[in-house]
Amino acid sequence: MADVDDELWNEFHRVVNMTSRELGDWLRTRDAGEDSEALPDQAGTPTGQEVLGILGKRRGDLTDVDAHVMRRVVERVHAQRRDDLEPAAGQAGWRHRLMSLGHDPLKPVG
C-alpha cells in the first residue's frame, strides 16, 4: 500500500476531471487509425493507461508507482493550466495532451 495523503488524493481527483469511461473512450479514439488499432485495453499513452488504472482502484489498493503517477499528473496539469483550472479553450493538440492525462480543459473541475 502506498502512502497517498489526503492532499495528493484530493488534488489528483480534482485535476482528473474525466470519468474512467470518458478517459477509456478517449484513449481508444485517439489510438484508432486507418491502418491499425491498438487493443482496447492497451490504447493510449502509458500515462493515460496508468491514470485509467488508478481511477479503478480504491485508495488502499494504490502502489508506490501509482502515487508517483498521481504526483506527475497533478504537476503536469498544473504546469499547463492556471491554478484555478477554470474551463478554457486552447489549441486542439494542447487539449488532447491534457485529455490523455484525464484532464479535459473544457470541463469544470470539481
Side-chain angles (χ1 to χ4, degrees):
M1 182 170 116
D3 181 27
V4 176
D5 61 21
D6 289 343
E7 184 178 347
L8 176 59
W9 175 261
N10 293 333
E11 190 59 10
F12 176 81
H13 285 90
R14 186 175 86 92
V15 301
V16 175
N17 63 352
M18 296 171 71
T19 65
S20 56
R21 181 181 184 106
E22 290 170 332
L23 178 56
D25 288 349
W26 167 250
L27 295 174
R28 284 188 296 279
T29 299
R30 179 130 173 126
D31 262 14
E34 289 182 24
D35 298 329
S36 66
E37 190 168 329
L39 296 173
D41 62 342
Q42 297 173 359
T45 64
T47 302
Q49 282 296 317
E50 291 169 322
V51 170
L52 195 56
I54 291 167
L55 291 175
K57 291 183 179 182
R58 294 182 310 229
R59 187 171 175 175
D61 295 333
L62 296 172
T63 66
D64 289 335
V65 171
D66 294 331
H68 175 74
V69 169
M70 291 170 74
R71 281 186 203 91
R72 194 171 75 226
V73 166
V74 167
E75 289 169 4
R76 286 175 64 186
V77 170
H78 280 290
Q80 294 187 41
R81 297 290 320 269
R82 297 183 317 269
D83 284 337
D84 61 9
L85 301 179
E86 287 295 317
Q91 300 283 333
W94 171 78
R95 179 178 183 226
H96 294 168
R97 282 190 303 277
L98 285 168
M99 287 175 67
S100 293
L101 299 174
H103 177 81
D104 185 347
L106 297 181
K107 281 181 74 172
V109 173

